[in-house]
Amino acid sequence: MVSHGSSPSLLEALSSDFLACKICLEQLRAPKTLPCLHTYCQDCLAQLADGGRVRCPECRETVPVPSEGVAAFKTNFFVNGLLDLVKARACGDLRAGKPACALCPLVGGTSAGGPATARCLDCADDLCQACADGHRCTRQTHTHRVVDLVGYRAGWYDEEARERQAAQCPQHPGEALRFLCQPCSQLLCRECRLDPHLDHPCLPLAEAVRARRPGLEGLLAGVDNNLVELEAVRRVEKEALARLREQAARVGTQVEEAAEGVLRALLAQKQEVLGQLRAHVEAAEEAARERLAELEGREQVARAAAAFARRVLSLGREAEILSLEGAIAQRLRQLQGCPWAPGPAPCLLPQLELHPGLLDKNCHLLRLSFEEQQPQKDGGKNGAGTQGGEESQSRREDEPKTERQGGVQPQARDGAQTPKEEKAQTTREEGAQTLEEDRAQTPHEDGGPQPHRGGRPNKKKKFKGRLKSISREPSPALGPNLDGSGLLPRPIFSCSFPTRMPGDKRSPRITGLCPFGPREILVADEQNRALKRFSLNGDYKGTVPVPEGCSPCSVAALQSAVAFSAGARLYLINPDGEVQWRRALSLSQASHAVAALPSGDRVAVSVAGHVEVYNMEGSLATRFIPGGKASRGLRALVFLTTSPQGHFVGSDWQQNSVVICDGLGQVVGEYKGPGLHGCQPGSLSVDKKGYIFLTLREVNKVVILDPKGSLLGDFLTAYHGLEKPRVTTMVDGRYLVVSLSNGTIHVFRVRSPDS
């Protein structure tokens, strides 16, 4: 790539796409230059003209069309000259046939000239050996430069040919442009010089260039300086955006951890309160049982004594009554003297006291604060927002801790930070922190993690409001021994780029992604009927031609071919677009998922509840029904590279599950739990460790499953920039490529736990 300060060579201009129209992607024809200095074919500009205005496809600048039409735009003589040179080199190629002499028919009167062996750079004519010798001997042409034709075709004399090349007047064919009219700033030939510019001061082209070159070079130097500044600003903007995304991902993780911590603490308090309630009730019941037993005993004694006294009084004779009167009276007085309780023993009734914050709609346990990023100084190694100097240090020390705190903050009812102590821990791993809980605080805030205090911002703008939930229900807990252990892969944002190209007539609709060569991907754009090639850095590499009228849906790259589904057909083409074979598929399915086997010599396609596998010759190698059930409908397929038995994973829309099958189609694992959030499973990708990445478009998530199909948690969410993710693919086993519904592609590096 040519830098700002260097001058491009003629060879680079001729060999690059400088002479190609960015609209039709063909060689420029009748090149016209817009005021923004972008050049296109005159016919292409005419097609873009709308309402008397043209919008540049490259810089998006809108310019008015002259009243005479697009033909009145400035003609790019520079590009015309380069095109003439290219056409002269290409015309009469020695491999296509021997070129003929241009002077022989004029001198000898024959219709066909002899074989040409030389070329005059001044006349731009091919000459035979005799005419070349005579050309050097005439008075008018003895100064012309005659060179060997083979060397000219090879490009040895391009620079010299450019120097001797004269721009032709568009008004007077055959006349070279020789003058510049200063008042009109118009190039003139000798005929144009006579009228109407006869009285205007004119300069020869060489003298006019010498006079005007310093001004243009000064302006160019100013623009070069601006480009340096723009590049520096762009670099700073990209770094700021990268820091924003990293911080957003970090804060998103903190939100998940904080919410899970609060939920765990709340559940722990629930168990504790229920335990206290059970213990209190059990103790009260035991005491009540003891009191009841004592009361029942006393009641039986009193009833027995009263019954005996009634029998004696009602059935006894006078002598018998009088003989027992003393004992009965003593016993009854004894029973009357017992300290009977006036009522039941006091029992403590449990009452639930809720913290007022739980019932207050204005109480927010989670809060976001937005801080302005401090520009980094040159050579600084600190993170975003880190400053140096005593003044900034003292200013930071004067700020309250709650004002300097970034990320997610627990908040009490009145909006102030809940008092919690934080222990500093020196560690190399970014974001590590030690949490200390204070049980003396309000119950609903125990267990909430204090956010990690990262950089030290100078200025901060706060936003207080309810944190909106991204998913429709909370994510399920992680698998055993994985919660908070750091054993799961982590996403690291790499880059983001659009897939819409200048020649696209519609907004892209990406329906398929697959790796294509080293650090390159192939994008199936169904709307624009194209297979586009991009590097992982977002550089556009061109297209793989597809048959006319085909709209690629799902795509997979094999060893030396590309397979894709379009409508109810499966195609196999070579990288040049030549169709190797095509196969008809079932019409009962709207789209067919395509995946390459790890061996790279076979392709699998889902067809109406079963999977068909074809070899490179187009023969059906095998056919099986996943799990033996024809009711399954696989809308996404990916093979596990870690499995030598050819295990594959599919998104089953009929059963609303993720199914893992062996090479014979037997189900070895299936997930249909709450981690799908009630969504239909989408695109699938597998990394080099065998982890499965599942796209859930409706909730803007990519979740991760282990190789056996157990849900491990969220991998990407809206905090990572996901907005309706559509298709994913894994490149080199460690780069997850995610396409969004708007045609944008995000690239994330999958960081392994052991890396």
Side-chain angles (χ1 to χ4, degrees), residues 12 45 63 66 87 113 148 205 245 280 299 382 426 508 512 548 553 574 753:
E12 292 172 342
L45 285 178
V63 297
K87 293 175 182 177
D148 179 63
L205 296 185
R245 286 171 173 158
H280 174 75
E299 182 183 1
N382 294 332
T426 304
E548 185 176 357
C553 181
N574 61 19

Side-chain angles (χ1 to χ4, degrees), residues 101-103 106-107 118-147 164:
C101 176
L103 295 185
L106 302 178
V107 177
R119 183 176 179 85
C120 177
L121 301 183
D122 296 86
C123 301
D125 287 332
D126 293 336
L127 307 174
C128 64
Q129 190 59 46
C131 291
D133 295 338
H135 206 68
R136 297 187 183 97
C137 299
T138 62
R139 180 177 298 178
Q140 293 181 343
T141 60
H142 73 280
T143 59
H144 288 195
R145 175 73 164 133
V146 180
V147 298
R164 295 173 177 267

Side-chain angles (χ1 to χ4, degrees), residues 20 65 82 85 143 173 329 331 397 402 472 566 618 651 688 734:
V65 178
L82 295 179
L85 186 60
T143 59
R331 181 59 176 168
E397 292 175 354
T402 55
R472 293 177 294 188
S651 291
K688 57 184 178 182
R734 58 194 181 100

Side-chain angles (χ1 to χ4, degrees), residues 487-625:
L487 298 179
L488 292 179
R490 293 280 184 177
I492 298 178
F493 179 78
S494 178
C495 70
S496 176
F497 56 89
T499 58
R500 182 164 189 171
M501 293 294 104
D504 292 347
K505 296 181 179 179
R506 300 180 180 179
S507 298
R509 185 173 185 266
I510 301 176
T511 54
L513 286 174
C514 72
F516 191 70
R519 294 180 61 83
E520 193 172 310
I521 58 174
L522 193 61
V523 179
D525 185 353
E526 190 177 44
Q527 282 284 66
N528 294 290
R529 298 182 176 181
L531 292 176
K532 303 176 181 177
R533 297 171 51 194
F534 291 91
S535 71
L536 285 184
N537 297 326
D539 298 329
Y540 180 57
K541 300 292 186 180
T543 62
V544 174
V546 298
E548 185 176 357
C550 284
S551 298
C553 181
S554 182
V555 63
L558 281 70
Q559 290 177 347
S560 58
V562 175
F564 67 91
S565 60
R569 290 182 180 272
L570 175 66
Y571 292 84
L572 185 76
I573 61 176
N574 61 19
D576 296 328
E578 182 180 352
V579 177
Q580 305 296 311
W581 50 262
R582 63 174 61 89
R583 295 293 179 267
L585 305 175
S586 172
L587 295 174
S588 62
Q589 190 169 326
S591 60
H592 302 270
V594 176
L597 272 70
S599 59
D601 58 353
R602 287 179 295 171
V603 59
V605 57
S606 65
V607 182
H610 60 271
V611 176
E612 297 178 353
V613 180
Y614 293 88
N615 57 23
M616 297 291 290
E617 289 73 28
S619 301
L620 182 63
T622 182
R623 181 178 183 271
F624 53 82
I625 300 175

